[in-house]
């Protein structure tokens, strides 16, 4: 269940409290996020919508430990990530977060197999174990037969599937998707959304997705609207949820 | 090791650039190795010179002779253990290009003075029995394809005319740095035939009881012949060899200067390659960090990539240099030896590693400090 009032008393997978993010541009302070509260339970599929500059991607970056907030806290599975050092945060990301980008961001000189294996290089798994994990992840995204292809030999939809396999291969605590269908045609986008939905429904993954596409957002269980760094609307929220 | 395929894959991203950069390392290390070989050639004599041997020369000049009568008088000096003498002859074989370092030597003392040269006993005895006999170093013998028993015609340079010698022995060096280009024949043969400067030698070589006695014995020899018609200048063999090298010029300075320029150019080439490579892949490094690669791991990857240019380049360059030096002296016999020793190769390899790290360190630090959010915006 997703709550945005900050009144949840623990138990959520992701707990965001009074989150602020401010950038300094010259003498001007830009408040990208302001006092944001959010609780996301395990297995939730949340979509963030809003106009450009509303703070969606910034929120995703903060939740993924890619950036630090100006104020407030983020607790994920009991770990307070806003106070972690850079090195610890990198380890935490490797263990807990799967990222899916709009532009796939695969490494062009590596095959699909090698791209998916990348996060596993940071683990203590043996080569055989890594192979088993990679093959499983590629099978989940239905690309087992393309594992030795390079990104340039794949279509956009297939590249995004490889990116999804890379995101899930370590079995992370949650997935962060930044416009995962933004660079795809309608048919490919539907396929990717089906796949993400499958990860939630079949494998119980928690997914937080930023999108401009209302049809993509509708696939989520909850849609949160951001405007000027503030959550202004929550569709299909849990019964006890409400605007903070 | 698990990152190795990733690092190698990056090298093949721009094949031409990789080949050129590895080629730069190879060319630089090849040049370094050749310079080091030349340095060894010039300074090797100093390093292998006998610590307990003194050279007695005419005080006026190295080309002025000393009387043969000094032999017994030097042997009377306390702490002199052994003595031999020689005369520089020079000479050419068949053509002026084929210069050979030829010396007339003392058959009694020469062999026991230079124990670093290995000569089979029966060959030495055959040499001593034959007034026109000669012993020649392995590299010169190989160069001209001589075999034992050959009659060798030599055109004298200092002592004019045609001279003929019978090849009675071939000597080898016991160390890689030993000069195996020399040609020795009997002093009496020279003294009989020459028309001037009879009864004189070019220099004496004295072995003292211990290296500690060097200075004392050298002073005693020079004192013994002070105010005579042939005053002497005695110094240790090491000091003599060093002085000889100095006459050629400051070889080491020249080599260090050229080496430094080459190395600096290499740093610029590789540093620029690495900087370009990192700049082009800013987004990819951000993705790696997003996946959980730590700053240090990213830095390590860039440095490892830089070393992947250096290591194969160094291996290629040093191997080619070794092959080149194994072909022998490129001057056709002017150098006493031409040998690339393993220590110099190791030094070259370490130098290449250092250059690889130096070239990669700034791009590696830039990649390490890359802020993910800013870099992802550029993708």
């Amino acid at each position: 269940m997703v709550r945005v009032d900050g009144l949840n008393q623990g138990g959520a997978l992701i707990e965001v409290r009074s989150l602020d993010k401010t950038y300094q541009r010259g003498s001007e302070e830009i408040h990208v996020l302001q006092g944001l509260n959010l609780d996301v339970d395990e297995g939730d599929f949340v979509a963030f919508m809003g106009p450009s500059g509303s703070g969606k991607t910034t929120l995703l970056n903060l939740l993924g430990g890619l950036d630090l907030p100006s104020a407030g806290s983020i607790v994920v599975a009991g770990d307070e990530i806003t106070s972690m050092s850079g090195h610890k945060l990198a380890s935490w990301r490797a263990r807990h977060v799967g990222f899916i980008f709009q532009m796939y961001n695969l490494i062009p000189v590596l095959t699909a197999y090698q791209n998916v294996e990348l996060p596993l290089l940071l683990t203590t798994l043996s080569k055989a174990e890594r192979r088993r994990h990679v093959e499983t992840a590629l099978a989940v995204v239905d690309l087992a037969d393309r594992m030795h292809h390079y990104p340039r030999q794949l279509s956009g939809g297939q590249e995004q599937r490889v990116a999804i396999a890379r995101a899930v291969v370590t079995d992370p605590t949650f997935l962060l998707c930044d416009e995962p269908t933004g660079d795809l045609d309608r048919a490919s986008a539907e396929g990717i959304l089906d796949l993400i939905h499958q990860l939630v429904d079949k494998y119980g993954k928690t997914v937080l997705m930023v999108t401009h596409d209302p049809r993509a957002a509708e696939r989520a269980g909850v849609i949160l609207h951001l405007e000027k760094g503030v959550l202004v609307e929550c569709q299909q929220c849990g019964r006890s949820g409400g605007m903070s | 090791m698990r990152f190795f395929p990733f690092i190698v894959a990056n090298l093949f991203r721009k094949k031409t650039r990789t080949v050129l950069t590895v080629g730069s390392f190879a060319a630089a290390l090849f040049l370094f190795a050749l310079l080091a070989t030349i340095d060894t050639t010039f300074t090797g004599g100093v390093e292998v010179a006998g610590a307990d041997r003194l050279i007695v020369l005419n005080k006026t000049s190295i080309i002025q002779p000393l009387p043969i009568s000094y032999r017994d008088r030097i042997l009377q000096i306390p702490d002199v253990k052994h003595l031999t003498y020689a005369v520089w002859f020079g000479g050419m074989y068949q053509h002026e290009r084929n210069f050979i370092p030829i010396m007339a030597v003392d058959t009694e003392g020469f062999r026991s003075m230079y124990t670093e040269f290995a000569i089979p006993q029966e060959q030495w005895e055959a040499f001593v029995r034959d007034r026109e006999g000669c012993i020649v170093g392995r590299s010169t013998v190989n160069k001209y394809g001589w075999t034992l028993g050959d009659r060798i015609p030599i055109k004298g340079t200092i002592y004019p005319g045609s001279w003929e010698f019978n090849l009675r022995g071939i000597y080898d060096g016991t160390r890689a740095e030993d000069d195996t280009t020399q040609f020795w024949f009997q002093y009496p043969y020279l003294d009989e035939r020459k028309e001037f400067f009879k009864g004189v030698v070019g220099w004496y070589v004295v072995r003292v009881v211990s290296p500690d006695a060097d200075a004392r014995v050298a002073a005693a020899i020079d004192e013994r012949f002070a105010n005579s018609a042939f005053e002497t200048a005695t110094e240790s063999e090491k000091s003599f060899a060093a002085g000889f090298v100095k006459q050629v010029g400051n070889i080491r300075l020249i080599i260090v200067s050229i080496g430094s320029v080459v190395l600096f150019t290499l740093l610029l080439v590789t540093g620029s390659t690495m900087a370009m490579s990192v700049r082009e892949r800013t987004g990819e490094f951000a993705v790696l960090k997003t996946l959980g690669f730590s700053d240090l791991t990213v830095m390590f990857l860039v440095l490892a990539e830089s070393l992947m240019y250096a290591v194969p380049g160094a291996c290629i360059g040093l191997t080619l240099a070794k092959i080149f030096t194994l072909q022998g002296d490129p001057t056709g016999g002017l150098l006493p030896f031409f040998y690339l020793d393993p220590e110099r190769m190791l030094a070259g390899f370490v130098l290449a590693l250092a250059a690889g790290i130096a070239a990669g360190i700034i791009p590696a630090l830039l990649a390490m400090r890359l802020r993910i959010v800013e870099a992802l915006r550029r993708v």
Side-chain angles (χ1 to χ4, degrees), chain A residues 27 33 41 60 82 110 119 133-134 150 172 177 207 214:
Chain A
S27 58
L33 293 174
D41 285 341
L60 218 61
T82 42
L110 300 182
H133 279 70
V134 172
Y150 287 92
C177 314
V207 176

Side-chain angles (χ1 to χ4, degrees), chain A:
Chain A
M1 186 182 294
V2 175
R3 293 179 64 103
V4 292
D5 54 10
L7 298 175
N8 196 8
Q9 293 302 304
L13 178 70
I14 300 169
E15 294 175 13
V16 178
R17 293 291 177 270
S18 309
L19 198 67
D20 281 356
K21 182 65 185 176
T22 307
Y23 290 114
Q24 196 77 33
R25 187 177 293 163
S27 58
E28 188 187 3
E29 272 199 343
I30 299 164
H31 299 280
V32 183
L33 293 174
Q34 299 177 65
L36 195 138
N37 293 304
L38 179 66
D39 291 273
V40 178
D41 285 341
E42 199 171 340
D44 281 340
F45 182 5
V46 183
F48 295 99
M49 293 195 74
S52 296
S54 59
K56 306 184 296 295
T57 297
T58 300
L59 176 58
L60 218 61
N61 289 340
L62 294 172
L63 290 172
L66 302 181
D67 203 357
L68 291 172
S70 306
S73 69
I74 300 170
V75 178
V76 179
D79 293 328
E80 161 72 73
I81 66 166
T82 42
S83 59
M84 284 183 184
S85 66
H87 185 76
K88 211 169 170 189
L89 204 53
S91 302
W92 176 84
R93 276 199 302 274
R95 175 69 198 88
H96 292 281
V97 195
F99 288 91
I100 301 166
F101 304 94
Q102 178 180 353
M103 300 304 293
Y104 335 126
N105 288 352
L106 299 178
I107 308 293
V109 291
L110 300 182
T111 61
Y113 179 95
Q114 290 171 319
N115 266 288
V116 177
E117 192 189 21
L118 267 181
L120 296 178
L121 297 179
L122 301 170
T123 67
T124 54
L125 294 177
S126 68
K127 194 173 180 183
E129 288 168 323
R130 293 202 303 272
R131 169 167 282 277
R132 194 162 47 79
H133 279 70
V134 172
E135 286 173 352
T136 304
L138 284 168
V140 166
V141 299
D142 202 21
L143 278 178
D145 59 335
R146 295 277 200 276
M147 66 169 72
H148 298 303
H149 286 58
Y150 287 92
R152 64 177 181 276
Q153 298 168 319
L154 301 171
S155 68
Q158 287 171 331
E159 281 195 72
Q160 192 59 297
R161 282 171 183 273
V162 174
I164 292 172
R166 182 178 67 184
V168 299
V169 72
T170 53
D171 190 22
T173 307
F174 64 107
L175 297 174
L176 295 176
C177 314
D178 193 0
E179 300 273 11
T181 57
D183 201 47
L184 298 174
D185 58 61
R186 175 45 51 194
S188 300
E190 285 299 325
I192 293 300
L193 290 169
D194 288 344
L195 187 53
I196 292 172
H197 213 263
Q198 187 189 349
L199 292 173
V200 176
D201 283 352
K202 191 172 169 185
Y203 299 100
K205 288 288 157 204
T206 306
V207 176
L208 291 90
M209 177 176 74
V210 164
T211 184
H212 276 108
D213 180 359
R215 278 193 286 191
E218 279 167 14
R219 304 291 286 268
V222 178
I223 304 172
L224 298 176
H225 291 266
L226 275 132
E227 211 170 295
K228 294 182 180 171
V230 178
L231 281 169
V232 292
E233 192 184 349
C234 176
Q235 295 174 0
Q236 304 167 56
C237 270
R239 284 180 293 279
S240 56
M243 300 310 296
S244 57

Side-chain angles (χ1 to χ4, degrees), chain B residues 88-161:
Chain B
W88 179 254
F89 181 85
M92 290 168 293
Y93 173 65
Q94 291 181 337
H95 193 278
E96 286 183 0
R97 280 199 310 266
N98 300 332
F99 172 81
I100 299 173
I102 301 175
M103 287 179 287
V105 303
D106 153 39
T107 50
E108 288 172 35
F110 191 80
R111 189 183 181 203
S112 46
M113 180 64 75
Y114 291 102
T115 49
E116 59 266 42
F117 297 130
I119 309 155
Q121 181 61 24
E122 69 280 6
Q123 292 183 15
W124 179 262
E125 285 169 4
F127 165 65
V128 173
R129 281 196 302 271
D130 182 359
R131 181 59 62 95
E132 294 183 2
C134 67
I135 290 181
V136 183
R138 178 76 60 190
S139 50
T140 299
V141 167
N142 289 345
K143 184 179 173 190
Y144 297 114
W146 296 336
T147 52
L148 287 176
D150 281 359
R151 185 86 174 152
I152 303 169
I154 295 290
K155 188 180 173 196
T157 48
I158 295 173
Y159 302 95

